[in-house]
Amino acid sequence: MKVAIIGAGAVGGLLAARLGATEAEVTLVARPNAASAIRRNGLTMVTPLNRVARLTPRVTDDSLSLGPQDLVFLCVKAHALRGTIDTLTPLLGPETAIVPMVNGIPWWYPHRQPDPLADLPLASVDPDGLLWRTIDPDRVVGATSFVAVEGDGPCRIRHVSDQRFVFGDAGGRDNPAVDRIVTLFGQAGFQPAKTADIRQAIWVKLWGNLAFNPLSVLTGSTLGRLCNDPGTRETGRAMMLEAKAVAEKLGVVFTTSVDERIAMAAGVGDFKTSMLQDYEAGRRLELDAILGSVIELAERCGVDVPMLRAVLAMVDLRARERREAA
């Protein structure tokens, strides 16, 4: 099985390290500078047990050299997906499955859905429909990850906790590619699961992200602190309840309560959210995919979400002020 991983960040690095230990032919596709650094220094991974492993994954900055792949994982931020199209295209054969490992509501979410989605692209995550037109949603295997992983310096990643991934066909079909992915991730030592309703799994992950990622930027606090402080916990809870009302309008059934989901997040402990890591590094925040998309869906469904709007406005201003000060 030929597998390409586009993006050499924390998630891409983790997949390259772990999937590369299986029998699959795995290649990490990175930008030239990152590819050169990984060739020179390898990739160092710190495990949840604080064990340190130095690995030498196969890496390239030229996707044309690889040819068609069986699986392609897109491990970039949601707003960077447009920049992967030229890299992705040479990797596609007739049966290639594309697996976007992104936070928030993905661009393909309206695919094969009834009104008010009805195959209408989401302006918040795909403003001109470019992703919808150029990446066939029927190729997509939806994915969501519950692992906590972070960059820990050049060519170094720290896997903080959890091993869980959930996969499902974007169109809700019985897709053999999903079974191949679940098997591959199991061989890599992860805890993968297959679902017939990947959108429900996306909402469970997003439920925590849309509340505590933005709040972490506003407060500078870790996930555990936010979940355990009475004030921020209640603010996050209110945001989650608004999002739940939107999801239920779209037919999503939650089998986990708000408080159970907060407890899951609290269990990660003193971990900086990916959004706080991006803010501190001066990178663009995933606000459109994590909050803007939910607000757009709320508008389509006729659901009022004042807390989500207020928090988005505050975090957006904070991010703009940081950019202007840089």
Side-chain angles (χ1 to χ4, degrees):
M1 181 187 301
K2 292 186 175 182
V3 178
I5 300 165
I6 298 178
V11 173
L14 177 65
L15 295 193
R18 297 280 290 271
L19 300 184
T22 70
E23 294 182 357
E25 182 181 317
V26 178
T27 306
L28 182 60
V29 184
R31 293 176 179 174
N33 288 346
S36 178
I38 293 171
R39 288 193 201 99
R40 185 171 59 252
N41 303 315
L43 186 67
T44 299
M45 182 175 67
V46 182
T47 74
L49 298 176
N50 284 322
R51 294 174 181 163
V52 179
R54 186 177 179 276
L55 308 132
T56 54
R58 182 182 180 192
V59 61
T60 184
D61 58 7
D62 178 19
S63 62
L64 279 169
S65 67
L66 299 181
Q69 304 287 295
D70 297 298
L71 303 173
V72 180
F73 292 90
L74 302 180
C75 298
V76 300
K77 301 292 185 181
H79 51 258
L81 282 169
R82 298 162 67 90
T84 68
I85 291 173
D86 290 343
T87 301
L88 172 64
T89 302
L91 303 174
L92 299 180
E95 303 298 325
T96 305
I98 301 170
V99 191
M101 306 289 292
V102 295
N103 286 324
I105 298 291
W107 90 91
W108 53 261
Y109 193 95
H111 182 51
R112 296 179 181 265
Q113 295 298 289
D115 287 333
L117 297 177
D119 285 287
L120 296 174
L122 295 168
S124 51
V125 292
D126 191 14
D128 56 4
L130 177 65
L131 295 172
W132 190 271
R133 295 193 307 273
T134 56
I135 303 177
D136 182 359
D138 277 327
R139 285 185 180 269
V140 171
V141 172
T144 190
S145 157
F146 292 91
V147 299
V149 60
E150 61 186 359
D152 194 33
C155 299
R156 185 180 174 95
I157 58 173
R158 179 178 294 275
H159 181 191
V160 179
S161 67
D162 218 330
Q163 308 280 353
R164 292 177 298 149
F165 291 83
V166 182
F167 301 98
D169 183 78
R173 302 161 302 173
D174 186 14
N175 184 345
V178 178
D179 296 309
R180 293 198 296 272
I181 294 165
V182 169
T183 298
L184 176 64
F185 272 63
Q187 292 170 349
F190 291 120
Q191 295 172 352
K194 174 182 178 180
T195 179
D197 187 3
I198 188 60
R199 288 169 179 79
Q200 193 269 348
I202 285 171
W203 275 99
V204 171
K205 170 70 179 293
L206 176 60
W207 219 10
N209 281 356
L210 68 85
F212 295 112
N213 279 27
L215 292 177
S216 72
V217 174
L218 292 176
T219 64
S221 294
T222 61
L223 189 55
R225 182 69 181 271
L226 290 168
C227 292
N228 290 309
D229 176 83
T232 51
R233 178 188 176 93
E234 193 55 35
T235 301
R237 192 173 189 278
M239 296 171 71
M240 293 170 72
L241 287 172
E242 288 184 355
K244 182 174 185 283
V246 175
E248 288 177 339
K249 280 279 189 177
L250 296 171
V252 174
V253 177
F254 288 87
T255 58
T256 302
S257 72
V258 172
D259 291 324
E260 288 171 338
R261 181 64 182 89
I262 293 174
M264 288 170 57
V268 176
D270 289 327
F271 173 73
K272 288 185 179 181
T273 70
S274 59
M275 189 174 286
L276 179 56
Q277 293 177 50
D278 286 342
Y279 175 79
E280 291 181 342
R283 295 188 290 260
R284 180 177 170 182
L285 307 185
E286 292 183 288
L287 289 174
D288 292 331
I290 289 176
L291 270 181
S293 60
V294 179
I295 292 171
E296 181 178 355
L297 291 173
E299 291 170 350
R300 290 198 190 186
C301 296
V303 176
D304 194 24
V305 287
M307 185 67 81
L308 296 182
R309 291 182 184 277
V311 171
L312 175 59
M314 289 186 285
V315 179
D316 181 60
L317 175 59
R318 186 167 175 81
R320 284 186 283 118
E321 287 181 337
R322 170 137 189 156
R323 289 196 302 270
E324 291 166 4

